[in-house]
Amino acid sequence: MTTPEDLDDLDALASLADGVRRQAYRVVADGTEPVGRDEVAEALGIGRTLAAFHLDKLVAAGLLETSYARRTGRTGPGAGRPAKLYRVAAAEHAVSVPPRAYRTAAELLAEALEQAGAENVLNTVARHHGRRAAAAEGVLELLTGHGYAPAPDGPDRIELRNCPFHRLAEQFPPVICGMNLAMIDGLLAGAGLDGEWAARMDAAPGRCCVTLSKTKAD
């Protein structure tokens, strides 16, 4: 049976069928800060009005969220109107036809692990999985390939703008965040980067609970 939520997800993903709209979404998703229509227009080589049209369609589909801020940093009279800015929405969208209940299964498994106190076993499995899944590549490419959307914060620190396990991490933070940290440890080790980068728990709103820090100079 297809639920109303399934239909909403289908509508959201269908909005990315338009090539320009899909590129606009990618520009926003790749930004480290909220993005304005001028940046999108410049990146895509289109007019500001057309950029705003596609961005607002993505907002209506639930894929982007908006905020307002003055880009000049000025305040008071003469500072101009705040600009409309876009960022990726926190909501998740996944579609399977016919519907599958993988999320429910994951929630049940996480709850069972929490009740059984089996976090150490989970972390060991996650670390081994990370080692097996890693490829010999740079740290940003490695993390991007596994859905973390890494964002360098200076030369010695990397924040992860996306948590691949966001919904579960909200429900079972000790279990899932510990698993996440263990898997990133495994990815770094598998890619031969564990002597250069170290992952640590560093939770903050709006991003993954793990950050990476340089352990030695290049």
Side-chain angles (χ1 to χ4, degrees):
M1 177 180 178
T2 301
T3 67
E5 291 78 11
D6 294 326
L7 294 175
D8 288 342
D9 286 344
L10 283 168
D11 289 342
L13 296 180
S15 70
L16 294 173
D18 182 278
V20 175
R21 198 165 301 161
R22 187 165 59 250
Q23 292 179 60
Y25 179 84
R26 186 176 296 277
V27 171
V28 176
D30 288 344
T32 58
E33 300 290 341
V35 174
R37 65 177 180 178
D38 288 344
E39 291 99 315
V40 173
E42 182 178 356
L44 302 186
I46 60 177
R48 296 168 69 248
T49 301
L50 182 59
F53 169 79
H54 285 295
L55 290 167
D56 288 337
K57 287 291 185 181
L58 291 168
V59 172
L63 294 171
L64 297 182
E65 297 173 344
T66 60
S67 60
Y68 292 85
R70 289 188 172 89
R71 308 306 296 273
T72 62
R74 296 170 55 195
T75 60
R81 295 175 58 187
K84 188 175 184 179
L85 305 177
Y86 301 83
R87 63 181 181 274
V88 174
E92 299 175 4
H93 299 280
V95 174
S96 60
V97 181
R100 299 286 187 255
Y102 301 120
R103 182 178 294 165
T104 299
E107 291 171 353
L108 291 172
L109 289 169
E111 185 173 355
L113 286 165
E114 186 176 61
Q115 292 186 12
E119 289 92 337
N120 288 339
V121 176
L122 174 62
N123 293 346
T124 298
V125 171
R127 194 171 289 108
H128 287 323
H129 173 79
R131 282 180 174 270
R132 292 194 303 268
E137 54 192 348
V139 65
L140 295 180
E141 292 79 10
L142 175 70
L143 296 168
T144 298
H146 289 273
Y148 286 101
D153 182 22
D156 299 326
R157 185 172 182 273
I158 298 174
E159 292 185 351
L160 307 177
R161 291 174 294 158
N162 183 58
C163 173
F165 316 108
H166 174 69
R167 183 68 63 87
L168 288 175
E170 285 189 323
Q171 294 178 261
F172 310 98
V175 174
I176 301 304
C177 291
M179 178 199 76
N180 186 36
L181 176 61
M183 194 174 85
I184 294 175
D185 281 339
L187 287 171
L188 294 173
L193 296 167
D194 51 333
E196 183 180 348
W197 292 93
R200 66 186 182 96
M201 199 68 70
D202 182 19
R207 62 169 171 80
C208 178
C209 60
V210 175
T211 60
L212 280 73
S213 300
K214 248 328 178 26
T215 58
K216 67 177 184 180
D218 292 335

